[in-house]
């Protein structure tokens, strides 16, 4: 149990560590932010396919497994798309009460909040995945999953800080939101550990759902954003490096 708690705190804490690092680079150039965000996109892409979607597909047999996985991926993407339409109603998170937000800042804030919400959504089933490994006694698998999640959470935490600050959020709210996304993962790990029988049944769908949310955000937000400032080549190579690093990490610990 102590190992589970330490792992849960480590996985969730990786996002907070990344956020604190992000504060050090709050005045980021477009080149720096595009490179870091592309690296995180590469890590997320590999995690989505190798760490979430493929395990979902391999957890069952035949057409049923394929149907569950595809359904989870599509519903995950649709869910984030719906959130995208609801995000404008969440703009009060970004400013003081009663503050009138400029339309340009509003649009920027909406994109940032969508990214943060998507991270929070996929953190829960990721945490459950790590918890299930401990609950079933497969400590090695749980540690591998947790390690991969923690690796991707650091750049995720980094890249959400500067955009939120640039959109006008206070440092306190920015840090609280980053901490919230990490806490979600801690909760997910504990849920997976204490409810193995339930989470094992829903895990294939939950993994695919999480993968779908990540694929949507990568394609709809992260890649277009990193290719909008004239640094497409560097962003592309950064994504590939992030993907390969996560792939190597998964292979070596697998």
């Amino acid at each position: 149990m102590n190992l589970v708690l330490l792992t849960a705190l480590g996985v969730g804490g990786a996002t907070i560590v990344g956020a604190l690092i992000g504060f050090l680079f709050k005045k980021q150039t477009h080149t720096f932010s595009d490179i870091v965000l592309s690296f995180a996109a590469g890590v997320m892409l590999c995690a989505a396919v190798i760490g979430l979607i493929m395990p979902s597909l391999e957890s069952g047999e035949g057409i049923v497994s394929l149907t569950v996985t595809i359904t989870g991926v599509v519903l995950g993407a649709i869910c984030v798309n719906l959130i995208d339409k609801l995000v404008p109603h969440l703009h009060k998170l970004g400013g003081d009460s009663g503050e009138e937000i400029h339309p340009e800042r509003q649009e920027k804030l909406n994109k940032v909040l969508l990214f943060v919400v998507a991270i929070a959504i996929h953190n829960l089933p990721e945490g459950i995945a790590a918890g299930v490994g401990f609950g079933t006694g497969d400590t090695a698998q749980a540690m591998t999953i947790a390690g991969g999640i923690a690796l991707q959470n650091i750049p995720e935490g980094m890249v959400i800080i500067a955009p939120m600050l640039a959109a006008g959020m206070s440092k306190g709210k920015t840090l609280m939101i980053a901490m919230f996304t990490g806490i979600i993962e801690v909760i997910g790990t504990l849920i997976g550990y204490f409810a193995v029988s339930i989470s094992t049944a829903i895990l294939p769908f939950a993994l695919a759902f999480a993968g779908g949310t990540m694929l949507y955000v990568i394609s709809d937000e992260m890649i277009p954003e990193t290719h909008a400032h004239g640094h497409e080549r560097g962003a592309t190579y950064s994504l590939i490096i992030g993907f390969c690093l996560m792939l190597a990490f998964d292979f070596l610990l697998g």
Side-chain angles (χ1 to χ4, degrees):
M1 183 60 191
N2 289 337
L3 182 59
V4 176
L5 288 173
L6 289 174
T7 301
L9 292 174
V11 168
T15 300
I16 300 174
V17 170
L20 294 176
I21 295 174
F23 276 113
L24 299 177
F25 298 96
K26 60 183 179 180
K27 293 183 179 179
Q28 300 173 4
T29 64
H30 274 310
T31 303
F32 179 82
S33 60
D34 288 347
I35 294 298
V36 173
L37 188 60
S38 292
F39 178 84
V43 172
M44 288 176 66
L45 180 60
C46 186
V49 177
I50 305 299
L52 295 172
I53 295 174
M54 291 307 298
S56 171
L57 189 62
E58 295 167 357
S59 63
E61 295 182 0
I63 195 67
V64 174
S65 176
L66 179 62
T67 301
V68 169
T69 300
I70 291 177
T71 301
V73 170
V74 172
L75 289 181
I78 291 174
C79 180
V80 180
N81 183 226
L82 292 176
I83 290 172
D84 190 10
K85 298 184 182 300
L86 296 176
V87 161
H89 301 289
L90 303 178
H91 67 270
K92 290 184 178 179
L93 288 172
D96 297 327
S97 180
E99 179 186 359
E100 192 70 27
I101 301 180
H102 190 277
E104 185 177 346
R105 175 187 159 194
Q106 176 68 72
E107 183 181 357
K108 184 183 296 185
L109 184 59
N110 290 345
K111 290 183 177 181
V112 174
L113 290 177
L114 174 62
F115 181 36
V116 173
V117 170
I119 289 174
I121 288 174
H122 84 256
N123 277 359
L124 183 62
E126 279 184 352
I128 289 176
V132 167
F134 286 109
T136 56
D138 193 345
T139 304
Q141 181 187 30
M143 292 298 292
T144 300
I145 295 173
I149 293 170
L151 180 63
Q152 78 177 51
N153 282 351
I154 293 177
E156 281 179 6
M158 287 178 62
V159 298
I160 64 176
I161 294 300
M164 283 195 287
L165 292 176
M169 277 193 184
S170 67
K171 292 182 180 179
K173 286 183 179 179
T174 300
L175 183 58
M176 285 181 62
I177 290 176
M179 291 176 65
F180 172 74
T181 62
I183 291 172
I184 291 279
E185 203 136 27
V186 174
I187 294 172
T189 303
L190 296 178
I191 290 175
Y193 177 72
F194 286 113
V196 173
S197 59
I198 297 176
S199 59
T200 299
I202 68 170
L203 189 58
F205 176 82
L207 291 172
F209 184 91
T213 66
M214 294 170 72
L215 291 179
Y216 182 94
V217 172
I218 292 167
S219 176
D220 190 67
E221 292 293 335
M222 300 179 76
I223 292 178
E225 176 66 21
T226 59
H227 283 63
H229 310 115
H231 311 119
E232 296 89 347
R233 188 65 56 84
T236 297
Y237 279 114
S238 183
L239 183 147
I240 293 172
I241 290 171
F243 184 95
C244 292
L245 181 62
M246 185 62 185
L247 186 65
F249 187 85
D250 180 78
F251 176 80
L252 293 174
L253 294 182

